[in-house]
Amino acid sequence: MSDWLVLGIAMAAACAVVLTIVLINHRRIGDDDDPSQTPDVIEYMTMMIGVVYAIVLGLAIAGVWEARGGAEDTVHRETQALHEVRQRVQVYPAAVRDRVRADVDAYVSYVAHTELPHMIDHGENTRRGTELLDKLRRDVTGFEPRTPPANQAYQPVVDQVAAADDARTARGEHAGPTMPGVVWFGLVAGALVAVGLIFGLQIRRSRRELVLAGLYSALIAFLLFLIWDLDAPFGRDAAEAAASFTSLFPHIG
């Protein structure tokens, strides 16, 4: 089921529930009921709770958006460092160059096709990925340059492997959801309170009030879905997460 379909179902369900409650509640109200007599304190509480909840939603969206941006930057740093390693060993002897490039390709292929899906599902890197990166480091640091070009490229290549390792470590540390469970409890509870309070204003069955009630509930459902979707820093689709790897290493397939 696609995310768009889930979003559509969630928004439609929120509208349907609110409008159904409004219609049922309207049938229970007597003809002598006067909606203009809603106490001012209820209107004030509804306004204040709506403002506070809007601030909480804004902070939550900012938090998950920042985490998503940081995750994308981490993957970019890792892939760029590996790409630099593959390019800088051009001046190495053919045997060493081919071995290092084979190590890079093996690691990138494994991460793109195996480790990233595992990381998205389990929130951690794999041991096999660590072993492949360690093999690359051993082959890079074990080489003894004997020509001036190779000697000049040696330390930058070692530094790029270290940069890739650092980025990979950061990727594993931030692979889990950004929002803790208690925050999700507050967001869902706040949504129920914010939507529930509109019934305290004694809305009627006029078209304008029904449309506004439906749009209000659909908006909150959309914002909660947006937070949920961004709560996975590296996305919920492995192919999307691996786009940076496949763009710089198109030959890995």
Side-chain angles (χ1 to χ4, degrees):
M1 185 179 295
S2 67
D3 290 348
W4 288 106
L5 181 58
V6 174
L7 173 60
I9 293 175
M11 295 179 64
C15 290
V17 170
V18 170
L19 295 181
T20 300
I21 295 176
V22 170
L23 295 178
I24 294 177
N25 189 50
H26 178 75
R27 294 181 179 180
R28 300 175 55 186
I29 297 177
D31 296 334
D32 57 344
D33 181 73
D34 185 5
S36 64
Q37 297 302 315
T38 301
D40 292 339
V41 66
I42 294 182
E43 296 181 356
Y44 176 77
M45 290 175 59
T46 302
M47 179 189 67
M48 289 303 300
I49 291 176
V51 171
V52 171
Y53 187 61
I55 295 175
V56 173
L57 284 175
L59 292 175
I61 293 174
V64 294
W65 183 265
E66 182 179 0
R68 176 66 66 90
E72 293 177 352
D73 180 66
T74 298
V75 173
H76 177 72
R77 287 191 292 111
E78 183 179 4
T79 55
Q80 186 62 41
L82 293 169
H83 180 69
E84 288 294 322
V85 171
R86 203 175 193 282
Q87 297 302 315
R88 289 176 182 268
V89 296
Q90 177 66 34
V91 297
Y92 281 17
V96 179
R97 180 184 66 236
D98 293 343
R99 183 167 64 250
V100 171
R101 286 182 171 178
D103 291 341
V104 172
D105 291 346
Y107 174 77
V108 170
S109 179
Y110 177 80
V111 170
H113 299 126
T114 303
E115 185 169 79
L116 285 178
H118 177 275
M119 186 188 70
I120 292 174
D121 293 337
H122 301 90
E124 61 181 5
N125 290 328
T126 64
R127 180 175 300 179
R128 177 58 179 166
T130 302
E131 294 173 353
L132 290 173
L133 188 58
D134 288 342
K135 184 177 184 302
L136 170 62
R137 181 184 288 106
R138 288 194 303 269
D139 288 340
V140 167
T141 57
F143 169 64
E144 295 183 5
R146 299 182 184 275
T147 63
N151 188 59
Q152 292 177 0
Y154 177 79
Q155 190 57 48
V157 170
V158 173
D159 292 341
Q160 291 299 327
V161 173
D165 188 18
D166 180 67
R168 180 177 187 274
T169 301
R171 173 164 59 82
E173 291 176 349
H174 299 89
T178 304
M179 308 294 292
V182 64
V183 176
W184 271 114
F185 174 80
L187 289 174
V188 174
L192 295 177
V193 172
V195 174
L197 279 177
I198 65 176
F199 301 111
L201 298 177
Q202 302 182 34
I203 61 176
R204 314 299 287 179
R205 257 181 64 177
S206 68
R207 179 179 301 177
R208 179 178 60 182
E209 290 175 310
L210 291 178
V211 169
L212 290 177
L215 291 177
Y216 180 70
S217 57
L219 175 61
I220 291 182
F222 168 75
L223 293 176
L224 289 178
F225 176 85
L226 178 62
I227 296 173
W228 171 83
D229 187 59
L230 294 175
D231 193 31
F234 295 92
R236 301 186 181 277
D237 183 6
E240 178 183 352
S244 183
F245 286 93
T246 55
S247 62
L248 287 179
F249 300 87
H251 56 279
I252 67 173

